[in-house]
Amino acid sequence: MNVRTKRLFLLAAVIAGLYIYTISRYGPSPTHVHNDTDPDTSPQDEVIIVLGHTLHPDGMPTRIIKDRVMAAKDVYTSLRSKLHHPLILFSGKGKPNREEYTEAAAMRDLALYEKIKQDDIMTDPDSTNTAQNAVFSAKLLEEKKIEEATIVTSDFHVLRSQYIFQTVFPSYIKLKFIGAPTEEEYRTRQLEKERSLFKNAQEDLQALGVLDEAEAYGYHPFRNLPRWKMIERELEADVRDGELVIPTKKEKRNKLAMVDYGSNYGYFSAHLAQKLPEGTVISVEGEAYKEYDGAAAFHRKKIDELQLKNNVLCKTRVQPPAFASLVESKQVYRYQLCLSVFHWFDMNTMEEFEQALSNHLSNAQTTFIELPEAMVYMGSEGQHAWKRVNVWFAGRDEVTIIQEVAAKYHMGKVSVKTLGALVHDNNTVRKVLRVDVHDNAHRVGVDVDAVLEAYGCTVKIG
């Protein structure tokens, strides 16, 4: 063996030794990852739905469009880094007379420029509003058997997008919403426009047959289905994530006790009782005003019609001391609904409001609640108790109020999630919030019979 051959042999041995050392210490490089961990070789498992927005008159994308595409790219990149295989759907036709270049096409071209794979892109060039976007997207997920979606839009459009997509999509599909940030001045202007667009959205959903007039009943009936779909999706997620443990028949009355305040015609109570037949739903209805005359009778008929054995109807007038009493007894509901009724309770000062809200939220592990819209009321809006609402809120938004109340009354870890928002008949926009009081998980379930007695029900059915 000559000197040159010896040197080559020695060099090869050194390289091989370094390679073996590197592999043993750090593992294989990405190029050595087996194909079964490569996103491109696996089925698409999540859809990123990017909603369109107006283009410039010459067809060029606006800053809003660009920001939405970049937000979608961030989601796409993050999912791929976790070995998911996402599909991006760009949706939007734009103006009715724009056939040659749609919003969807403009976003697709931006995405391709950003090196997003062509095979991971689809477009919906025909939808002219968000409701049509949602219907098209829902069909796509069903066809591809995908059960997760992230909706990307702008910050000012998130609440209305939540309302529409939550209403359209089946409850078993996991939905996430991302709002690309916009400048404050522009966002403020757009939020005011959104108020009127909520009504348009309801009309769009009705035109598509999503809001079924025959299925709607109760107080403000067309608000009920969207709100229920928001709540139902959360219940599905709790079961899927192990947050809701279904009790046995022997323990169900106190292990999975739920309450619906201001149950009215029983829309939410009946749906909740059907969704969780292992639990007990207490429906509290006061019928204090003439517009609710006959609500309890209708609800009673519904209980009989659906043969609900787990829905208890209680006619009474609940006031804040009842919340305090439940806290003192250390009992807790698994779920409670307080949708657009909390401002009807007898509270005058900010202190009374905050104390009642703290006690109320402490009465359950999870509360679904609507408060009046956070705004300064002038009296012309048709908002009940508007002067008191101004005193209670003191310029704060709904989430801030709950966070401050939780800290003030030492409620422990409390999380707040905005599920969406709907326009009320008085033209205010009310958010549907999920509030979880995590320290309540160890407390004793509600004794249903004792609570009914404490509520002072004049009529008890179920």
Side-chain angles (χ1 to χ4, degrees):
M1 185 181 294
N2 60 35
V3 174
R4 185 171 180 274
T5 304
K6 284 182 179 179
R7 286 177 178 172
L8 288 173
F9 181 79
L10 180 60
L11 180 61
V14 169
I15 292 172
L18 286 171
Y19 177 79
I20 293 169
Y21 171 77
T22 302
I23 293 298
S24 64
R25 183 174 178 85
Y26 300 107
S29 68
T31 57
H32 289 85
V33 175
H34 194 268
N35 282 341
D36 63 5
T37 59
D38 182 355
D40 291 330
T41 64
S42 59
Q44 290 167 328
D45 56 4
E46 183 162 342
V47 178
I48 303 167
I49 303 162
V50 192
L51 303 181
H53 191 266
T54 307
L55 300 172
H56 284 303
D58 61 0
M60 293 297 290
T62 59
R63 168 55 57 187
I64 296 294
I65 287 277
K66 293 176 182 176
D67 287 345
R68 292 184 186 184
V69 172
M70 294 309 295
K73 179 189 174 184
D74 289 345
V75 178
Y76 174 83
T77 304
S78 174
L79 287 170
R80 284 185 64 86
S81 72
K82 298 170 185 173
L83 301 179
H84 288 274
H85 188 184
L87 168 69
I88 300 186
L89 172 64
F90 293 111
S91 186
K93 180 177 182 178
K95 293 182 179 179
N97 61 352
R98 186 181 295 283
E99 299 290 346
E100 69 283 2
Y101 198 56
T102 63
E103 296 165 2
M107 292 190 290
R108 175 204 61 208
D109 291 348
L110 283 171
L112 291 172
Y113 180 79
E114 291 296 328
K115 310 300 183 188
I116 292 175
K117 292 175 178 291
Q118 173 83 55
D119 290 345
D120 291 342
I121 295 175
M122 280 189 66
T123 59
D124 163 22
D126 297 319
S127 295
T128 58
N129 57 54
T130 307
Q132 290 178 4
N133 296 155
V135 170
F136 180 91
S137 304
K139 290 178 181 176
L140 175 66
L141 266 75
E142 183 180 3
E143 289 170 4
K144 289 185 169 291
K145 295 181 169 52
I146 296 175
E147 297 185 1
E148 291 192 47
T150 298
I151 293 86
V152 178
T153 183
S154 300
D155 47 14
F156 59 82
H157 186 227
V158 168
L159 286 175
R160 185 159 57 89
S161 299
Q162 287 176 312
Y163 160 54
I164 292 169
F165 276 82
Q166 296 258 36
T167 304
V168 170
F169 273 55
S171 59
Y172 66 84
I173 293 180
K174 293 173 66 174
L175 295 179
K176 290 174 285 187
F177 295 85
I178 292 177
T182 55
E183 294 181 1
E184 184 176 358
E185 184 178 344
Y186 181 83
R187 181 172 64 253
T188 301
R189 291 199 309 269
Q190 291 301 118
L191 284 172
E192 195 54 43
K193 290 181 181 178
E194 286 290 301
R195 188 181 302 279
S196 60
L197 292 175
F198 266 99
K199 288 189 174 181
N200 293 348
Q202 178 179 309
E203 293 170 1
D204 293 338
L205 290 169
Q206 285 178 262
L208 291 167
V210 177
L211 290 179
D212 184 1
E213 196 163 349
E215 204 269 348
Y217 64 89
Y219 182 55
H220 297 167
F222 285 112
R223 296 175 65 233
N224 287 345
L225 175 63
R227 289 187 292 176
W228 169 248
K229 292 291 286 290
M230 293 175 191
I231 293 168
E232 184 181 32
R233 195 177 311 280
E234 294 299 302
L235 300 178
E236 294 262 4
D238 284 353
V239 173
R240 184 173 55 245
D241 298 339
E243 296 295 327
L244 173 58
V245 179
I246 303 299
T248 64
K249 289 183 178 181
K250 184 177 180 181
E251 60 184 358
K252 69 178 180 181
R253 269 181 77 83
N254 86 330
K255 195 74 173 179
L256 187 49
M258 299 162 280
V259 63
D260 177 14
Y261 288 106
S263 57
N264 195 255
Y265 287 79
Y267 182 91
F268 294 98
S269 295
H271 281 74
L272 191 57
Q274 289 178 295
K275 186 72 178 178
L276 297 173
E278 301 86 355
T280 300
V281 180
I282 301 173
S283 303
V284 180
E285 176 53 55
E287 283 195 324
Y289 295 86
K290 285 189 176 180
E291 67 174 304
Y292 304 145
D293 282 352
F298 183 94
H299 187 181
R300 188 182 308 129
K301 182 180 178 182
K302 206 72 179 173
I303 289 174
D304 294 338
E305 177 187 317
L306 298 173
Q307 298 182 344
L308 298 175
K309 305 297 184 185
N310 62 329
N311 186 189
V312 180
L313 175 58
C314 170
K315 283 187 65 176
T316 189
R317 189 181 180 200
V318 173
Q319 291 298 340
F323 306 145
S325 174
L326 206 57
V327 171
E328 290 170 9
S329 66
K330 300 188 184 302
Q331 297 183 73
V332 63
Y333 289 106
R334 180 60 187 89
Y335 295 105
Q336 65 178 353
L337 278 58
C338 193
L339 302 175
S340 284
V341 296
F342 195 81
H343 54 284
W344 290 87
F345 296 130
D346 191 13
M347 305 163 292
N348 293 307
T349 66
M350 183 193 296
E351 180 67 27
E352 291 175 349
F353 166 74
E354 291 183 342
Q355 179 71 72
L357 183 59
S358 169
N359 287 333
H360 177 66
L361 296 176
S362 297
N363 286 171
Q365 290 183 48
T366 302
T367 300
F368 297 103
I369 188 170
E370 276 181 303
L371 295 170
E373 182 181 356
M375 61 184 289
V376 177
Y377 291 93
M378 305 304 294
S380 58
E381 301 84 1
Q383 172 61 52
H384 172 72
W386 64 273
K387 290 182 180 178
R388 287 188 290 172
V389 173
N390 285 341
V391 171
W392 300 338
F393 281 32
R396 302 171 292 176
D397 64 62
E398 304 93 327
V399 174
T400 300
I401 289 170
I402 292 171
Q403 292 171 336
E404 290 184 358
V405 164
K408 179 177 179 180
Y409 292 96
H410 309 290
M411 294 171 60
K413 183 183 177 183
V414 175
S415 58
V416 186
K417 178 181 180 182
T418 302
L419 306 183
L422 298 91
V423 67
H424 192 272
D425 281 7
N426 63 16
N427 207 36
T428 61
V429 177
R430 294 183 181 174
K431 296 175 183 175
V432 180
L433 304 175
R434 171 181 176 146
V435 183
D436 288 281
V437 181
H438 298 276
D439 289 354
N440 278 350
H442 67 276
R443 287 171 60 189
V444 178
V446 163
D447 183 327
V448 174
D449 293 324
V451 166
L452 291 172
E453 185 176 343
Y455 283 163
C457 307
T458 55
V459 175
K460 185 175 74 172
I461 300 165

